[in-house]
């Protein structure tokens, strides 16, 4: 298929043919306004925990099958995940049959998804949840299943007819960066054209970086969220590397995030095997600071009460979902301590302090409050609540004072600062 998606052509198409696709730009960066992802998407995504396990004979409970997603959907409702805000049950790679059907449409593997995706979507919807699916901009998915290149319209239409609510669009097996960019844009328009609300989750910048710096302003115009960096693994090295990449590139990526479009540092691996308790706290706290989509990849049938409490922490989720929609950033790094902050609505701030030192025990850190929130977070005074590792009201602090914390190795202390004036107004 020859793509005609030069920017000019897209502009023309956008203006004349798809009046429902309104461009929205009160952040300075114009966002895809399909009305979706006004706060970061929350849900569950199979990849990190279940990968491409297609062996349902040997491993019926952990293979990629309709049963897995139905069980997760049930648990999301019965175990409080939905009430906490987790809404999207998302299928990743390896759901497809190896061939398209006679009309060129994608089809689910008939053995593993005997009811097909439409029936699965109905089931997920009957639970009050939404269904996500996965496809690829190139000739094949990363795991080698049929790619969407040459089939963008038909695939968008198929997903809409099935009742899909989110598309994760991967970028493997694309033969040029022109095809990559054109394909990501084209699919955005094709989804919009179906008239169904489908969150569009891209990996465009991740596949662009090896060639040149991605144009984030453009990406935001087409995607609801976008992966920038390598896949998350169930390991501390992996989570650390994502945080390091994010802070080293924050000048390029933080400003562009906001309602409708988010940087995606990949799945939450809390509740699995690789992270210590303090490291799980770090992932949860920093994903909240980064305004990241909260897509868990774990086994909700076997998850510790501790991990569940952390993932369902309503105060931390509230920071992640803050309606102001500004992504946080690393404020400073000194003596193996990192301080991150994120502006919140009502002039509040979230502050995360990480202990990067991986030798020794908990370390004290004294933070002058005047250094936070561009000097105004605690001016003239503020009420500070520690949210993680445990919730604790620390009380009122003056602007000129400091706060002393103790942070476990590889762990994080997450604080919320609320201006005193605002609290008085509330009372
Ligand atoms: C890529 C993506 C992952 C996952 C796999 C599936 O590596 O980045 O998130 O979707 O493909 O094959």
């Amino acid at each position: 298929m020859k793509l005609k998606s030069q920017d000019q052509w897209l502009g023309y198409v956008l203006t004349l043919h798809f009046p429902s696709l309104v461009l929205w730009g009160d952040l300075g960066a114009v966002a895809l306004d399909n009305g979706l992802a006004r706060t970061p998407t929350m849900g569950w995504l199979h990849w990190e925990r279940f990968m491409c396990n297609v062996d349902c004979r040997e491993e019926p409970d952990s293979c990629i099958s309709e049963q897995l997603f139905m069980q997760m959907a049930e648990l999301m409702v019965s175990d409080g995940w939905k009430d906490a805000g987790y809404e999207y049950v998302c299928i990743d790679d390896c759901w497809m049959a190896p061939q398209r059907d006679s009309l060129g449409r994608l089809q689910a593997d008939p053995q593993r998804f005997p009811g097909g995706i439409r029936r699965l979507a109905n089931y997920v919807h009957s639970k009050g949840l939404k269904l996500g699916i996965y496809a690829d901009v190139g000739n094949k998915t990363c795991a080698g299943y049929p790619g969407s290149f040459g089939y963008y319209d038909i695939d968008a239409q198929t997903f809409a007819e099935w009742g899909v609510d989110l598309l994760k669009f991967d970028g493997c097996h694309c033969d040029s960066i022109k095809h990559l960019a054109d394909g990501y844009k084209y699919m955005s328009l094709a989804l919009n054209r179906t008239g169904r609300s489908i969150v569009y989750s891209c990996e465009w910048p991740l596949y662009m970086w090896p060639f040149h710096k991605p144009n984030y302003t453009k990406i935001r115009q087409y995607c609801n969220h976008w992966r920038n960096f390598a896949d998350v693994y169930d390991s501390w090295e992996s989570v650390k590397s994502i945080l390091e990449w994010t802070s080293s590139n924050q000048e390029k990526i933080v400003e562009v995030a906001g309602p409708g479009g988010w940087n995606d540092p990949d799945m939450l691996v809390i509740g699995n095997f690789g992270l210590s308790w303090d490291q799980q706290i770090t992932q949860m706290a920093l994903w909240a600071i980064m305004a990241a989509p909260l897509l868990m990849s774990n086994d909700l049938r076997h998850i510790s009460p501790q991990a569940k409490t952390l993932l369902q922490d309503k105060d931390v989720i509230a920071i992640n979902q803050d309606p102001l929609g500004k992504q946080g950033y690393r404020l400073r790094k000194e003596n193996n301590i990192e301080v991150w902050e994120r502006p919140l609505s009502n002039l509040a701030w979230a502050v995360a302090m990480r202990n990067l030192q991986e030798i020794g025990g908990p370390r004290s850190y004294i933070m002058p409050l005047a250094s936070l929130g561009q000097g105004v977070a605690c001016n003239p005074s503020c009420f500070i609540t520690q949210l993680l590792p445990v919730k604790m009201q620390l009380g009122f602090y003056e602007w000129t004072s400091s706060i002393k914390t103790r942070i476990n190795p590889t762990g994080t202390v997450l604080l919320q600062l609320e201006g005193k004036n605002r609290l008085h107004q509330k009372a």
Side-chain angles (χ1 to χ4, degrees), residues 24-32 37-38 40 204-205 209 213-228 245-246 249-264 290-291 324-329:
W24 176 84
D26 64 5
L27 285 172
V30 182
L32 167 62
R38 307 302 300 166
W204 181 0
W209 268 111
K213 179 176 169 273
N215 179 346
Y216 281 100
T217 312
K218 182 116 289 181
I219 288 165
R220 182 175 165 81
Q221 289 169 22
Y222 292 95
C223 302
N224 290 122
H225 27 96
W226 48 85
R227 286 270 310 282
N228 294 312
W245 187 91
T246 304
N249 289 279
Q250 59 188 13
E251 296 78 21
K252 304 181 196 87
I253 64 166
V254 165
E255 271 307 305
V256 79
W262 311 97
N263 289 294
D264 177 5
M290 292 188 293
L324 186 62
K326 283 201 169 296
Q327 180 172 339
Y329 46 84

Side-chain angles (χ1 to χ4, degrees), residues 200-321:
Y200 187 39
S201 165
C202 299
E203 300 203 30
W204 181 0
L206 167 60
Y207 290 92
M208 205 69 163
W209 268 111
F211 303 97
H212 58 77
K213 179 176 169 273
N215 179 346
Y216 281 100
T217 312
K218 182 116 289 181
I219 288 165
R220 182 175 165 81
Q221 289 169 22
Y222 292 95
C223 302
N224 290 122
H225 27 96
W226 48 85
R227 286 270 310 282
N228 294 312
F229 187 64
D231 294 359
V232 71
Y233 280 39
D234 185 14
S235 79
W236 179 233
E237 286 309 312
S238 166
V239 171
K240 255 196 316 193
S241 67
I242 292 171
L243 291 172
E244 189 46 43
W245 187 91
T246 304
S247 47
S248 319
N249 289 279
Q250 59 188 13
E251 296 78 21
K252 304 181 196 87
I253 64 166
V254 165
E255 271 307 305
V256 79
W262 311 97
N263 289 294
D264 177 5
D266 212 2
M267 294 158 267
L268 291 169
V269 293
I270 296 165
N272 291 322
F273 307 95
L275 301 187
S276 73
W277 176 237
D278 283 292
Q279 293 159 2
Q280 294 179 65
I281 288 172
T282 295
Q283 193 184 30
M284 192 68 190
L286 272 295
W287 262 236
I289 293 278
M290 292 188 293
L294 297 181
L295 293 166
M296 307 177 278
S297 194
N298 48 21
D299 189 343
L300 300 178
R301 297 164 301 189
H302 308 283
I303 186 162
S304 72
Q306 208 186 19
K308 184 175 160 197
T309 306
L310 177 60
L311 285 162
Q312 293 190 3
D313 188 313
K314 63 176 178 11
D315 299 307
V316 183
I317 291 174
I319 289 177
N320 174 270
Q321 297 284 302

